[in-house]
Amino acid sequence: MTKLNIMMVHAHPADFACDASGTAALHLEKGDNVTSVVVSYGDRHHMHWLFDQEKKPEKERDPDFANLDAEMYRDFKKRETERIAEILGVELVLLEWTDCEIYFDHDKVMEMAKLILKIKPDIVVTRMPTDFGMTHNDHPMTAKIVAKAIEVARNRHQIFDGVDGYKGVKQIFYTINGGEEVNGNSNFTPGIVPDVWVDTTSVIEKKVHAIDQLVSQGYQGDTARWIIESRDGRWGMIAGSAYAEPFLRPSGIRYNSLPMPETVIGFNWKPTVVPGAPLSASKIPSGTPDSANRLRL
Ligand SMILES: [Zn+2]
């Protein structure tokens, strides 16, 4: 089997932990390379820890809270991101773009194109670039930057640019975060139907522990288990496994004959399809280190 080189691009650390982290862990376990690019620290999103601290009397706050500034808070978020990378085992690239200020612009496209030329991925994984909710938020913006950067990287030329174009991106897989699929509650969402489901049951502990790191957003503990049981578990129910992650490819796939993957040809009839999970996400012990709650180490 050829070793795959996978590049994942996420707008925020939370997307890094929540979107395709199970799939990343699975590919790493089978010996593929995964580089995760997290373009911002997500420091202007879901500031749950900060909100909690502000409500507390001064003496109960984090000892460094009085000196808190934007840089210290970004460092707190950076540590979370690095812990997620360590749990999953991915190569981490941080671009330090300003959170909530991610626009489709030339500099960002060129920075991303440069990374594609360096990483030379076979597969790119990122969020859906389609802004169905017309929110223009960081997720579709980041995905649009990635899609454009793939085009730029492909069409570089040694004579004009001093670098060969990279034409090796063979497949893009768009992630779906749980609000865009069929029955999504946005009036602008026509209903996305994922076309690939990855069974993440065997790595669900890693995914729960990745989410456990997001103390700044209050995602640790019960919240992480709730996300996995209700969202990844629902995806698993659709896909026929305990837990799953959904993807959508931008175009139809051509086969030489009818595709029959091992999960289909190896299907054994059972009177009731039980998940078969070695453990339930809700029972996974905490993966949040005590120091995760501290603003500074
Ligand atoms: Zn996000």
Side-chain angles (χ1 to χ4, degrees):
M1 283 293 281
T2 326
K3 199 168 159 171
L4 293 169
N5 196 18
I6 302 170
M7 177 177 174
M8 296 197 175
V9 185
H10 304 289
H12 312 117
D15 310 316
F16 176 30
C18 297
D19 277 14
S21 57
T23 300
L26 282 170
H27 279 278
L28 284 155
E29 285 183 5
K30 74 185 201 60
D32 294 333
N33 287 322
V34 181
T35 305
S36 293
V37 182
V38 181
V39 306
S40 82
Y41 290 128
D43 45 302
R44 299 303 174 99
H45 272 84
H46 303 291
M47 293 175 261
H48 182 87
W49 181 93
L50 193 58
F51 181 74
D52 266 1
Q53 290 282 320
E54 284 171 319
K55 279 190 302 186
K56 286 181 182 179
E58 255 171 64
K59 58 179 186 323
E60 287 173 30
R61 287 180 185 162
D62 185 283
D64 292 300
F65 191 83
N67 302 316
L68 178 61
D69 59 12
E71 200 189 329
M72 196 190 292
Y73 190 67
R74 272 197 301 275
D75 279 348
F76 181 52
K77 295 285 294 180
K78 186 180 181 184
R79 273 169 38 220
E80 290 185 343
T81 319
E82 288 168 346
R83 289 198 305 270
I84 294 165
E86 209 181 308
I87 286 164
L88 300 175
V90 304
E91 187 83 29
L92 178 63
V93 177
L94 296 166
L95 296 189
E96 306 196 331
W97 293 352
T98 306
D99 187 25
C100 277
E101 293 178 34
I102 298 173
Y103 305 111
F104 184 78
D105 66 46
H106 183 260
D107 287 355
K108 288 189 175 64
V109 169
M110 297 314 279
E111 190 178 355
M112 192 62 72
K114 237 178 165 177
L115 260 179
I116 291 167
L117 289 167
K118 189 176 157 203
I119 295 168
K120 297 187 169 30
D122 304 304
I123 294 172
V124 172
V125 178
T126 193
R127 189 73 74 84
M128 292 278 300
T130 319
D131 201 357
F132 291 114
M134 308 294 206
T135 59
H136 309 299
N137 78 28
D138 291 344
H139 306 106
M141 287 293 174
T142 301
K144 279 178 191 155
I145 290 165
V146 173
K148 185 69 182 167
I150 291 171
E151 187 199 3
V152 171
R154 189 192 306 131
N155 293 297
R156 295 286 94 177
H157 196 285
Q158 187 63 243
I159 295 171
F160 309 139
D161 310 298
V163 60
D164 287 321
Y166 178 66
K167 296 155 175 67
V169 176
K170 296 184 176 67
Q171 186 66 67
I172 303 174
F173 288 93
Y174 291 123
T175 64
I176 292 151
N177 89 332
E180 302 103 338
E181 311 101 290
V182 174
N183 298 330
N185 62 3
S186 165
N187 289 333
F188 294 104
T189 306
I192 304 292
V193 182
D195 71 341
V196 172
W197 301 89
V198 175
D199 180 352
T200 50
T201 309
S202 68
V203 290
I204 208 65
E205 184 164 337
K206 283 187 185 173
K207 184 163 187 177
V208 169
H209 282 169
I211 302 173
D212 262 347
Q213 306 315 310
L214 293 156
V215 168
S216 65
Q217 302 193 184
Y219 280 21
Q220 78 279 16
D222 285 345
T223 312
R225 283 134 193 89
W226 173 51
I227 291 168
I228 295 294
E229 296 291 20
S230 60
R231 193 192 64 160
D232 296 46
R234 174 178 147 251
W235 285 333
M237 190 166 265
I238 296 167
S241 57
Y243 306 104
E245 285 173 347
F247 298 91
L248 187 61
R249 293 169 291 189
S251 55
I253 305 301
R254 187 186 68 248
Y255 296 94
N256 294 325
S257 61
L258 295 173
M260 291 294 281
E262 182 49 41
T263 46
V264 175
I265 197 97
F267 175 74
N268 290 317
W269 182 87
K270 284 175 191 160
T272 303
V273 179
V274 292
L279 45 83
S280 289
S282 57
K283 292 178 186 153
I284 295 171
S286 170
T288 311
D290 288 342
S291 59
N293 287 293
R294 285 289 311 277
L295 204 44
R296 289 209 292 196
L297 289 180

